[in-house]
Amino acid sequence: MKSLVFLLFAILNLSLYAAEDKKNILILCSIGGYGHRAAAQTLNHLLEDEYNLSVVYPIDELRIWGLKSGEQVYNTMLQNDWINSLNLITRHLAPKLFRTRKARVEKIIHRHIRQTKPDLVLSLIPFINYPAREAARKKKIPFLLVTTDND
């Protein structure tokens, strides 16, 4: 994680600032699988003295067929060791669903960018990285993708 901190400093071309001059980082996180939240908490712990961090959960805001995205269903399946079913969903169904909802995801992230005015958008989650990158690019904000696993 220390190397991540140095990478963030390089990307933002920053040195340490006084509290009122802190740069803003928007962290895109997920409640599915818990590893993403652990990564966000680690970043918060490492960076909170130098940066204003805003952690948001865009997948949780997304509605698919009028329903929440199902991250809690994912967590329940994970806790009950339904790994084969999870693999089927995450490999085949989820990518197609998210591809068809790129514009919606981008709109959700645009809203968070407007609200937080970040100097960097950092994504810890799969499936939404293309619309997240596009939202950041259109606002001329650096985008950093941090993978939390090898999947």
Side-chain angles (χ1 to χ4, degrees):
M1 269 304 178
K2 289 286 186 189
S3 61
L4 177 59
V5 173
F6 293 117
L7 179 59
L8 290 173
F9 281 124
I11 287 175
L12 294 173
N13 193 20
L14 298 172
S15 58
L16 294 177
Y17 286 87
E20 64 272 0
D21 293 327
K22 285 184 179 180
K23 296 290 183 173
N24 298 319
I25 299 176
L26 175 62
I27 299 175
L28 308 176
C29 193
S30 170
I31 61 171
Y34 305 108
H36 311 287
R37 282 193 285 185
Q41 289 171 347
T42 300
L43 286 168
N44 188 50
H45 176 72
L46 292 171
L47 301 173
E48 67 185 345
D49 292 338
E50 291 86 22
Y51 300 95
N52 295 316
L53 294 133
S54 299
V55 179
V56 297
Y57 303 87
I59 292 177
D60 196 45
E61 297 175 46
L62 183 64
R63 300 294 181 264
I64 297 175
W65 299 313
L67 304 171
K68 277 194 165 193
S69 64
E71 288 180 298
Q72 291 298 7
V73 173
Y74 178 90
N75 289 337
T76 300
M77 293 175 77
L78 191 62
Q79 291 167 345
N80 288 300
D81 203 28
W82 298 349
I83 303 303
N84 289 336
S85 297
L86 281 174
N87 286 339
L88 179 72
I89 291 168
T90 57
R91 286 188 185 138
H92 301 289
L93 181 61
K96 291 176 184 172
L97 286 172
F98 282 101
R99 262 195 310 272
T100 62
R101 284 147 180 91
K102 285 187 289 194
R104 286 188 206 166
V105 172
E106 188 174 329
K107 188 182 283 188
I108 289 168
I109 295 166
H110 267 291
R111 187 180 72 244
H112 288 294
I113 288 172
R114 272 193 318 275
Q115 291 170 346
T116 61
K117 297 177 180 34
D119 299 289
L120 172 71
V121 175
L122 190 150
S123 177
L124 299 173
I125 48 180
F127 298 125
I128 68 158
N129 290 319
Y130 176 74
R133 186 205 63 190
E134 284 301 294
R137 182 187 64 77
K138 289 175 181 176
K139 295 292 185 179
K140 298 184 182 353
I141 300 169
F143 175 76
L144 178 64
L145 168 61
V146 176
T147 57
T148 58
D149 55 33
N150 289 326
D151 288 346

